Amino acid sequence: MDVSESLIAKLAKADVNAPMCPSRGVLEHVTSRWGVLVLAALLAGTHRFSELRRTVGGVSEKMLAQTLQTLERDGFVHRHAHPVIPPRVDYSLTPLGEEAARQVWGLARWTEEKVPQVLEAREQYDAART
């Protein structure tokens, strides 16, 4: 059994509840605050870095760069550097990234819809604690 077969055999038993399961890291990357928003922005199509920064309000350049690099490493984002001056880099979703983006975007939309209920629950909780 070579290394890739061994890895595949281990991952066939992936369990997000297991402390050392690699799926936990993947879950963290796609559900992080910036990960969700970057994936959602790229659902609309290819973006340049500056376009993504404008779309994902509040993200710093450093956090956007780290998030894009992480998502690229995980196979969710494709980075295309054009050989031109000035440099131009485009970001887009891979097929795997599109699948992940659709999943987390559904959750993001659901949270938008439920904000009034959450705010009401918080008020009730806070009132009961005082």
Side-chain angles (χ1 to χ4, degrees), residues 14-98:
D15 177 2
V16 76
N17 290 313
M20 299 304 292
C21 184
S23 64
R24 283 191 175 191
V26 175
L27 183 64
E28 181 181 336
H29 297 161
V30 298
T31 61
S32 71
R33 175 207 273 183
W34 305 122
V36 168
L37 298 175
V38 167
L39 289 169
L42 291 173
L43 264 175
T46 300
H47 284 65
R48 294 175 73 177
F49 186 90
S50 58
E51 293 170 331
L52 279 171
R53 185 141 187 250
R54 281 190 298 276
T55 302
V56 180
V59 67
S60 68
E61 284 188 31
K62 179 182 176 183
M63 283 308 303
L64 180 55
Q66 286 178 354
T67 300
L68 286 166
Q69 186 175 32
T70 297
L71 294 173
E72 181 184 6
R73 182 172 185 253
D74 285 348
F76 298 120
V77 170
H78 174 72
R79 180 183 186 274
H80 180 79
H82 298 273
V84 295
I85 296 178
R88 177 179 169 176
V89 178
D90 292 324
Y91 296 92
S92 60
L93 293 173
T94 64
L96 182 64
E98 186 171 335

